[in-house]
Amino acid sequence: MVNNLLTAVVLAAGKGSRVNELTTSCAKCLLPVANKPIIYYPLETLIRSNFKEVIVVVSDTEEEVISKALNDLKMSINIILEKIPYSRDFGTADSLRLIKDKIKNDILVMSCDTITDFPLKRLIDWYLIYNPTLLSLISLIPPNNESTVPGRKGRDKIEKDLIGIDANNGDRLVFLSSEADFDESVEFSVSMLKKCPQFSIKSNLLDSHIYILKKWTLKYLEDNNKISSLKSEFLPSLVRKQFRKQIKSFANKKTSLNPSSIISSSALPLRNIADYIDMNDIELTLNKLEPNVVINQLTTDKMKKEMPNTYPESKIKCFAFCLNEGYCIRANTLSGFCEANRMLLKQMNTSDKKPIKSQSSISSKSQIDAIVGNNNKIGDKCSIKRSIIGNNCIIGDKVKIMNSIIMDNVVIEEGSNIQGSVICLSAKIQSNVEIKDCVIASNQIVHSLAKLTNEVLMDLDQMMEL
């Protein structure tokens, strides 16, 4: 049923500008979280919700390496790669606009860097029952108990959203914007305040970047080609338009004038968002439902409960679905990336899936409390705690690693001590080095006896390019 009603799209063409310390030689969607590429997690979420097919949007320069990585994962979902030009600075809305012809149904859009254990089936059931224009999954911002972020001094500033919810009217989403867009005050339209005089603005909520949208919104997006971003432009626009009069333009009105004396209405541009709305939207959705489908995740009482008749004159209805349990993390920043690794490591330590240390050569004299990948060589008297070790790494004798992420093909020579750091692909740490709260970029060499704290080590030409 889900497959027939929704087209799943995972956006994975981002350049990773917020994690440029990590992406000098790795596509953002392939950055490792608990030794799996980030993109694995949204795909696995879709599989758990019975999706059989997904469109993954990638940049043309990374298509080959991403295709290989996805093939290696051997996931039980048909993955259709759609490439867009890397040379152009395309946003998330541009990505949807470029693949619009591939989308046949309403759309479930996910970011490749969203990691959650939330069952999307519950979100989809809610959407099918109440039929909104936009449904956004939101959750509380996860607590970050770490005092520092690698490569920076002090606590990383969390980018917050301002999310307005009319909780008295079915969690109606009435305001959506980034806190950074405002200096001291937030302005609201008169039309919004008239129709929604009581609502709450919250800054402790995380926009998960998981959305369900009506298919007709793509046509509106196509005709408004100056809109580049879903989060900062398109979705706030939909939310605002809930409170404006939606009158069809002349192009869609019936007229008694002589047809030969006017331009054909089909040739006139659509000027108002009401022109795009399919007035039989609800009927079309209900007709697609199988007659005996039982939506298991929702109780009978909830299914019978009618959505409040709020803003009845509005054909656009935007809602927020609040995640009240489980976890949801955006790994789109350095702090988010580190937190996602820590959280999944903690999940594995507290579940039946204990950290894996097989298929690696590990000295019996070493103490390992970590996720360890394959084909690693770990020497004598090493201490590795609360860390993640990738694949094909060589770790010498008496090495200490704590609260760190070590990516694939890293060499760490004897006597080195690494704390709270990220060591990227194919870096080499020579003997007796001390590294604390640092990021060592791909292919970098840290020479013997070096002592680094709160530093980002990368080539000058890489820094200039980024």
Side-chain angles (χ1 to χ4, degrees):
M1 179 185 71
V2 168
N3 232 22
N4 294 331
L5 290 177
L6 295 175
T7 297
V9 177
V10 174
L11 301 176
K15 297 180 180 180
S17 59
R18 294 182 180 181
V19 286
N20 51 28
E21 307 98 324
L22 311 179
T23 55
T24 57
S25 62
C26 179
K28 173 190 168 183
C29 67
L30 298 183
L31 287 174
V33 173
N35 279 345
K36 293 185 184 295
I38 288 177
I39 196 171
Y40 165 85
Y41 296 97
L43 295 177
E44 180 63 24
T45 300
L46 289 170
I47 291 172
R48 293 198 307 268
S49 296
N50 300 319
F51 278 87
K52 305 302 181 185
E53 185 173 275
V54 58
I55 297 173
V56 177
V57 183
V58 300
S59 69
D60 53 2
T61 58
E62 297 172 337
E63 179 190 19
E64 185 175 348
V65 65
I66 293 174
S67 177
K68 181 182 183 306
L70 292 175
N71 287 335
D72 291 343
L73 288 174
K74 296 181 172 58
M75 305 191 76
S76 58
I77 188 169
N78 181 34
I79 300 172
I80 302 171
L81 289 185
E82 291 291 336
K83 58 183 180 181
I84 64 174
Y86 180 85
S87 58
R88 299 279 300 278
D89 190 19
F90 284 123
T92 49
D94 296 314
S95 296
L96 283 185
R97 189 182 292 114
L98 289 170
I99 67 163
K100 65 183 186 308
D101 293 337
K102 307 294 182 180
I103 298 174
K104 307 303 180 184
N105 306 305
D106 294 346
I107 321 143
L108 172 68
V109 185
M110 302 181 67
S111 173
C112 71
D113 54 38
T114 297
I115 301 175
T116 181
D117 62 350
F118 177 75
L120 291 182
K121 183 66 166 56
R122 290 176 57 192
L123 188 73
I124 295 166
D125 288 346
W126 198 101
Y127 179 79
L128 294 178
I129 292 172
Y130 298 123
N131 202 48
T133 305
L134 161 67
L135 181 59
S136 175
L137 178 66
I138 61 175
S139 69
L140 289 173
I141 294 176
N144 187 345
N145 297 321
E146 299 298 320
S147 59
T148 59
V149 175
R152 304 170 192 173
K153 293 182 179 180
R155 185 181 293 272
D156 193 32
K157 183 179 180 180
I158 298 175
E159 295 183 7
K160 295 183 178 180
D161 297 317
L162 297 179
I163 299 177
I165 298 178
D166 184 357
N168 294 323
N169 290 304
D171 288 336
R172 191 74 174 250
L173 186 61
V174 298
F175 188 82
L176 178 63
S177 188
S178 172
E179 186 181 53
D181 294 338
F182 303 94
D183 294 326
E184 297 180 355
S185 60
V186 180
E187 296 182 356
F188 304 101
S189 67
V190 173
S191 59
M192 172 191 167
L193 295 175
K194 284 182 177 180
K195 296 179 181 179
C196 181
Q198 294 184 333
F199 59 91
S200 58
I201 296 288
K202 300 183 180 182
S203 62
N204 64 337
L205 296 177
L206 173 74
D207 174 15
S208 71
H209 281 227
I210 298 177
Y211 314 112
I212 303 181
L213 288 159
K214 287 297 179 189
K215 184 177 183 295
W216 64 259
T217 61
L218 286 182
K219 176 61 179 173
Y220 176 73
L221 189 61
E222 178 186 4
D223 290 349
N224 291 269
N225 56 17
K226 291 185 179 180
I227 296 176
S228 181
S229 167
L230 283 178
K231 170 63 183 298
S232 62
E233 297 175 272
F234 184 52
L235 301 184
S237 174
L238 285 179
V239 171
R240 288 192 301 269
K241 290 182 186 303
Q242 293 180 102
F243 307 104
R244 298 178 183 174
K245 290 184 178 180
Q246 292 143 24
I247 303 173
K248 285 184 175 290
S249 67
F250 177 80
N252 277 327
K253 289 182 179 179
K254 294 182 180 180
T255 178
S256 59
L257 295 176
N258 186 343
S260 62
S261 65
I262 62 171
I263 302 174
S264 169
S265 64
S266 62
L268 292 175
L270 299 175
R271 298 186 181 278
N272 300 313
I273 195 167
D275 296 331
Y276 299 85
I277 300 173
D278 185 349
M279 298 305 295
N280 293 319
D281 210 16
I282 296 178
E283 289 78 2
L284 288 173
T285 300
L286 293 176
N287 288 337
K288 290 179 181 179
L289 291 174
E290 298 175 15
N292 296 318
V293 166
V294 177
I295 302 178
N296 296 320
Q297 297 296 332
L298 298 178
T299 64
T300 303
D301 290 340
K302 284 188 177 181
M303 291 180 66
K304 291 180 178 179
K305 178 183 176 182
E306 294 184 1
M307 181 61 63
N309 191 26
T310 55
Y311 333 128
E313 71 279 10
S314 177
K315 302 298 187 297
I316 300 170
K317 294 178 172 59
C318 302
F319 289 92
F321 189 103
C322 298
L323 188 156
N324 295 318
E325 57 186 18
Y327 60 83
C328 183
I329 293 180
R330 294 285 319 284
N332 62 329
T333 62
L334 183 57
S335 59
F337 171 78
C338 294
E339 183 62 24
N341 276 280
R342 284 192 289 263
M343 185 271 297
L344 288 178
L345 175 60
K346 187 183 297 183
Q347 289 281 324
M348 289 188 176
N349 277 325
T350 56
S351 70
D352 294 334
K353 296 181 179 180
K354 295 297 182 181
I356 299 172
K357 299 187 283 287
S358 60
Q359 299 184 34
S360 287
S361 174
I362 303 175
S363 170
S364 59
K365 298 179 181 180
S366 292
Q367 297 179 350
I368 311 294
D369 178 18
I371 296 176
V372 179
N374 297 319
N375 303 317
N376 297 295
K377 295 181 179 179
I378 300 177
D380 290 339
K381 299 181 181 179
C382 290
S383 175
I384 304 177
K385 297 181 179 179
R386 298 193 296 275
S387 297
I388 297 173
I389 311 298
N391 303 303
N392 306 308
C393 295
I394 299 175
I395 299 176
D397 298 339
K398 300 180 180 179
V399 168
K400 295 182 179 179
I401 302 174
M402 181 175 289
N403 295 326
S404 295
I405 301 165
I406 312 298
M407 298 189 191
D408 294 350
N409 305 310
V410 169
V411 175
I412 303 175
E413 295 183 356
E414 68 276 2
S416 290
N417 187 341
I418 300 173
Q419 297 184 35
S421 298
V422 180
I423 314 298
C424 297
L425 296 166
S426 302
K428 183 174 182 180
I429 313 300
Q430 294 184 348
S431 60
N432 300 302
V433 167
E434 293 185 16
I435 298 176
K436 183 178 180 181
D437 301 325
C438 292
V439 177
I440 309 302
S442 299
N443 302 303
Q444 296 299 299
I445 298 175
V446 181
H447 296 286
S448 297
L449 303 176
K451 295 184 178 181
L452 305 176
T453 302
N454 292 120
E455 293 189 32
V456 176
L457 185 62
M458 57 196 305
D459 289 338
L460 181 60
D461 58 343
Q462 292 175 333
M463 295 179 69
M464 292 176 64
E465 179 183 349
L466 295 168

